Amino acid sequence: KAGVTQTPRYLIKTRGQQVTLSCSPISGHRSVSWYQQTPGQGLQFLFEYFSETQRNKGNFPGRFSGRQFSNSRSEMNVSTLELGDSALYLCASSHSGGRTDTQYFGPGTRLTVL
Amino acid sequence: ILNVEQSPQSLHVQEGDSTNFTCSFPSSNFYALHWYRWETAKSPEALFVMTLNGDEKKKGRISATLNTKEGYSYLYIKGSQPEDSATYLCAFLPAITGNQFYFGTGTSLTVIP
């Protein structure tokens, strides 16, 4: 069974630009969550999607948005990039989004904002 | 913002040593605690999901305990091996915030051959 995939793996953007990251969950998984990791910080929860609906949202500005498609693939968009958005962005999928479901993480997208 | 703390921040042990580290979380409003292992250049990998006070889980040489009343979980590694070198993360899930996990900053373990 293929794991969670994320594209692209690395990305360099400049301030003010926007970026879209993609996450393909494990086949059959319907829940996708997104996390941001910056140096010295633990993983920070961005949002969770289940069956194309955003169920939970973390404490991030409105520049961070996402969506989920009918095949459960998810995209995350960051508009008007700031230097502080430089981070590793991870997505994780689980079968039904149950709160004790095992989450399977992708390899991440490393975003650098110059 | 909920505070989840892990200690120590980093740890170096000799191969064969046993070790343990701590995850502290708010004792009120508990729903679940997840443990992950994150090896360099790989994805975080789930180890345990713990839900009940007094839970003990085991996977090979790794085990974990949970005390929800005092707000901590211990992760133990018996007879550490170089392949155990990784960052170990805990993620706290409160009862009232849906699926919003709160991660600690991790304990980085290096096992010296």
Side-chain angles (χ1 to χ4, degrees), chain A residues 20-21 23 32 34 47 49-50 52-54 65-70 72-77:
Chain A
T20 299
L21 311 182
C23 173
V32 174
W34 288 89
F47 24 67
Y49 285 87
F50 180 80
E52 302 178 65
T53 301
Q54 185 182 89
S65 63
R67 58 179 177 168
Q68 187 180 35
F69 302 94
S70 58
S72 294
R73 189 177 70 85
S74 178
E75 287 182 347
M76 189 192 100
N77 185 76

Side-chain angles (χ1 to χ4, degrees), chain A residues 93-112:
Chain A
S93 74
S94 68
H95 184 262
S96 56
R99 304 181 74 199
T100 55
D101 277 9
T102 297
Q103 287 196 98
Y104 296 85
F105 281 84
T109 294
R110 172 78 61 186
L111 172 65
T112 302

Side-chain angles (χ1 to χ4, degrees), chain A residues 3-12 19-25 32-38 43 46 74 76 85-93 104-112, chain B residues 38-45:
Chain A
V4 178
T5 58
Q6 291 187 246
T7 56
R9 294 292 312 279
Y10 302 90
L11 204 48
I12 299 175
V19 67
T20 299
L21 311 182
S22 180
C23 173
S24 293
V32 174
S33 296
W34 288 89
Y35 297 89
Q36 179 197 64
Q37 189 193 39
T38 50
L43 293 176
L46 281 154
S74 178
M76 189 192 100
D85 297 332
S86 294
L88 178 68
Y89 291 89
L90 290 166
C91 75
S93 74
Y104 296 85
F105 281 84
T109 294
R110 172 78 61 186
L111 172 65
T112 302
Chain B
W38 194 356
E39 295 178 66
T40 302
K42 293 189 177 179
S43 308
E45 173 197 356

